[in-house]
Amino acid sequence: TRFLQEGIERAAGEFGLQVPRMLDSPAMAERKRLERGLADVLVLCSELQRDIYLAEGLPAERLQVVPLWVDTEFWQPPPQRELPASDRPLRILHAGAVSLTKGIPYLVEALDQVEGAGVETTFVGPLETDMKPFLKKLKSPARCLAYCPRPQLRELYQNHDVLVMSSLGDSFGFVAVEAMACGLPVIVTDRCGAPVPDPAWRVPAFSAAAIAARLNHYRHQPERCLEDGRVARAFAGRWTSRRYRDSIRRPYDALEPTILPS
């Protein structure tokens, strides 16, 4: 929580926004600290989460990463994906809260830096009031959808070219692996724990320029959307629920059984 709070405060300062209240009360923060101290093993969902706890001073031997999963039977690519033509806008999808926490101001700045035919963006998720002025200043076409049931969200994944997670702090990030399972390349920040098949798909947080550079990469090489989409689909296929179930057993199997006195 402290990691995310620090990110939110930095972004609020950069964009002249009011700093939100603390995510945890002092009492809750202290309770979490005590619980971490009492735990023999902490099972984490990403390498990012592990790095955060290492920075908090927890011993590496107590931290075990078991990444989460994606339902590849439901999240599927379309039968045929359209090659983005050079004369049409790149279709960008953001799925999740339209909030400072999700780095929306950086994404909006990045969208205005895309060259050529530009972009069309769909924002799916609850829109926070302080983000409305940023969306109003956006020069390219955009639409906001407050909520989508899973079948409609799958259709959105299938009908866009790239998903962007400009998040300031996500321990995992389900939407990234869902999008990849639907054959969509993704751009995530280094404060998002979702695994990606290529380090180039992960950009520095707090950087509109870094997001824009990746978007222009696809703008200038539209065939990469399809090629990377196939890579994404194959990669997401590794993160199955079966893999998760097998992996989550290991921390427990490794523990010595406690024999209670009779």
Side-chain angles (χ1 to χ4, degrees):
T1 310
R2 183 162 60 186
F3 175 83
L4 178 56
Q5 186 76 40
E6 290 171 352
I8 294 172
E9 291 178 1
R10 172 178 167 177
E14 288 184 13
F15 290 98
L17 298 172
Q18 182 176 355
V19 177
R21 64 179 177 82
M22 295 294 289
L23 297 170
D24 281 343
S25 67
M28 179 58 72
E30 176 62 11
R31 176 171 177 167
K32 288 181 177 181
R33 188 190 67 80
L34 292 173
E35 288 179 348
R36 289 194 297 269
L38 290 169
D40 295 309
V41 177
L42 282 84
V43 181
L44 312 172
C45 67
S46 68
E47 293 295 336
L48 170 67
Q49 206 174 26
R50 182 177 186 273
D51 290 343
I52 293 169
Y53 282 123
L54 286 173
E56 294 276 346
L58 274 75
E61 61 271 17
R62 288 169 53 197
L63 306 177
Q64 298 197 33
V65 176
V66 180
L68 301 179
W69 67 93
V70 62
D71 181 358
T72 52
E73 293 185 3
F74 179 82
W75 303 107
Q76 292 269 347
Q80 185 172 358
R81 189 179 291 280
E82 173 191 341
L83 176 68
S86 59
D87 60 348
R88 79 148 167 86
L90 201 64
R91 295 171 185 154
I92 310 302
L93 180 64
H94 165 87
V98 185
S99 65
L100 184 62
T101 302
K102 298 298 183 182
I104 293 301
Y106 300 100
L107 175 55
V108 168
E109 285 192 354
L111 294 172
D112 283 340
Q113 297 175 36
V114 178
E115 300 160 359
V119 295
E120 290 179 351
T121 309
T122 302
F123 295 90
V124 183
L127 172 60
E128 293 193 356
T129 302
D130 58 354
M131 292 297 102
K132 290 181 179 179
F134 292 94
L135 296 185
K136 287 181 179 178
K137 291 189 294 185
L138 187 59
K139 299 172 186 176
S140 56
R143 60 173 173 160
C144 293
L145 305 175
Y147 169 78
C148 277
R150 292 172 83 232
Q152 188 178 349
L153 181 56
R154 178 176 59 188
E155 186 175 339
L156 287 170
Y157 288 143
Q158 294 173 345
N159 292 326
H160 284 75
D161 300 317
V162 184
L163 174 109
V164 181
M165 280 193 72
S166 49
S167 179
L168 306 183
D170 266 298
S171 56
F172 190 69
F174 269 113
V175 297
V177 286
E178 290 172 358
M180 287 190 286
C182 292
L184 199 63
V186 302
I187 301 169
V188 302
T189 71
D190 56 7
R191 293 173 73 92
C192 172
V196 289
D198 187 326
W201 295 23
R202 198 180 303 279
V203 301
F206 312 105
S207 175
I211 298 172
R214 284 301 293 172
L215 291 175
N216 279 313
H217 165 78
Y218 288 114
R219 174 70 280 167
H220 297 311
Q221 304 176 81
E223 70 280 359
R224 295 299 309 178
C225 291
L226 298 186
E227 294 168 12
D228 286 357
R230 287 189 285 269
V231 171
R233 170 62 183 170
F235 180 76
R238 296 165 46 186
W239 308 98
T240 63
S241 58
R242 177 180 292 276
R243 174 177 177 156
Y244 177 79
R245 289 194 299 270
D246 291 344
S247 299
I248 198 65
R249 290 176 56 91
R250 293 172 193 155
Y252 299 95
D253 290 341
L255 297 175
E256 294 183 6
T258 300
I259 301 176
L260 300 176
S262 57

